[in-house]
Amino acid sequence: IYNPVSESLINEGFMPWLVGAGLAGAVAAVASNLSDDSDHSSDNNEADVNVAKQLVQNAEQLNQKAQDLINNAQNDGLISAQEHKAIQDAVDLANQAEEAAQEAVDALPESSDKNDLQDHLDNLSNLVVPPVNDANGNGVDDAVDAAGSLVTDAENQQQAAEDLLDELQADGLITPEEQAQIQDAIDAAADAKDTAQQAVDALADPEAKNELQDRLDALDPVTVPPVNDANNDGIVDGNNS
């Protein structure tokens, strides 16, 4: 499976220390060299420090690579599922590299080199994978998408109430049953508007929030007409003798 992060890391030469047993072998070599102090020569110590330096450098490079990827992905304020996976892969690689480097540094005898390498590791960025907020990859924040759908539903419910009102008032008469139908439609429209309003209020994007708020503000309340044909005889109450 193609992974843009992994391919990028390979292309830039950051992967060799992370492949297969390379990391484990490098760390194991340091630990093995230190297992018997009597046989541990200055040449071996220098080699161990060099291995640890390479691992620390690799950890720094992968950490920066992952942080750059996070920053770039967040430029538009959106994180798609694909971007999330790419970032997670990069962060996992960086964390693996840091762990391997830490093991190698821990295995070194106390020295200024060890302290310096530990400082480098301590200065690595704390990598945080941002959550997905554009799951369908349509370039719109999922929260804005959801709020927009709720506003559209409120508009549709409002239109349905208005249409019902026009239909039932066409003959100039409103029976108790018709009034109840209109009230139910108005209540449904009000509930839909309230739900949409809560979603709009929670939005962080000011432009999208203002646009959706304007649509909600344009929804005028529908008034329930009074009953004027209480006995449902097709004649306005008071006009029948």
Side-chain angles (χ1 to χ4, degrees):
I1 299 174
Y2 170 73
N3 185 316
V5 176
S6 297
E7 179 157 315
S8 175
L9 295 174
I10 292 171
N11 290 340
E12 296 191 28
F14 295 159
M15 288 295 291
W17 284 96
L18 289 171
V19 178
L23 278 176
V27 176
V30 176
S32 176
N33 284 341
L34 291 173
S35 62
D36 186 348
D37 288 340
S38 62
D39 294 335
H40 191 68
S41 68
S42 60
D43 289 342
N44 285 340
N45 182 62
E46 183 177 354
D48 294 341
V49 170
N50 287 335
V51 169
K53 283 182 178 179
Q54 288 178 295
L55 288 169
V56 170
Q57 289 171 0
N58 187 69
E60 289 176 322
Q61 291 171 331
L62 286 175
N63 182 276
Q64 186 61 55
K65 187 74 175 179
Q67 189 61 62
D68 289 345
L69 187 61
I70 292 170
N71 294 340
N72 291 336
Q74 289 183 314
N75 278 339
D76 60 358
L78 299 173
I79 298 294
S80 67
Q82 183 178 6
E83 288 174 324
H84 183 272
K85 185 180 185 307
I87 292 170
Q88 186 65 67
D89 288 345
V91 169
D92 288 345
L93 288 175
N95 288 339
Q96 290 169 18
E98 182 178 356
E99 289 173 6
Q102 186 65 67
E103 290 181 25
V105 171
D106 288 343
L108 295 176
E110 294 302 323
S111 66
S112 59
D113 284 330
K114 179 174 182 174
N115 292 338
D116 180 62
L117 291 175
Q118 187 59 57
D119 287 342
H120 279 267
L121 289 177
D122 291 342
N123 288 330
L124 292 178
S125 298
N126 181 29
L127 300 172
V128 178
V129 180
V132 173
N133 63 356
D134 182 18
N136 59 6
N138 67 345
V140 179
D141 188 291
D142 293 335
V144 174
D145 256 349
S149 294
L150 291 171
V151 170
T152 297
D153 181 57
E155 291 170 331
N156 291 339
Q157 295 279 6
Q158 172 86 5
Q159 189 60 55
E162 292 176 358
D163 291 345
L164 181 62
L165 178 63
D166 291 341
E167 177 187 343
L168 297 181
Q169 281 188 317
D171 61 358
L173 300 171
I174 295 295
T175 67
E177 293 78 11
E178 290 174 330
Q179 186 188 58
Q181 291 180 49
I182 295 170
Q183 185 65 64
D184 288 345
I186 290 175
D187 289 344
D191 288 345
K193 184 176 181 181
D194 287 344
T195 300
Q197 186 65 68
Q198 292 176 22
V200 171
D201 288 343
L203 292 179
D205 183 339
E207 184 176 351
K209 185 173 187 175
N210 290 338
E211 178 184 344
L212 293 175
Q213 187 61 57
D214 287 344
R215 288 169 60 185
L216 287 177
D217 291 342
L219 299 179
D220 295 325
V222 178
T223 302
V224 182
V227 172
N228 63 359
D229 183 13
N231 59 5
N232 197 21
D233 63 355
I235 300 174
V236 174
D237 296 336
N239 289 347
N240 47 354
S241 56

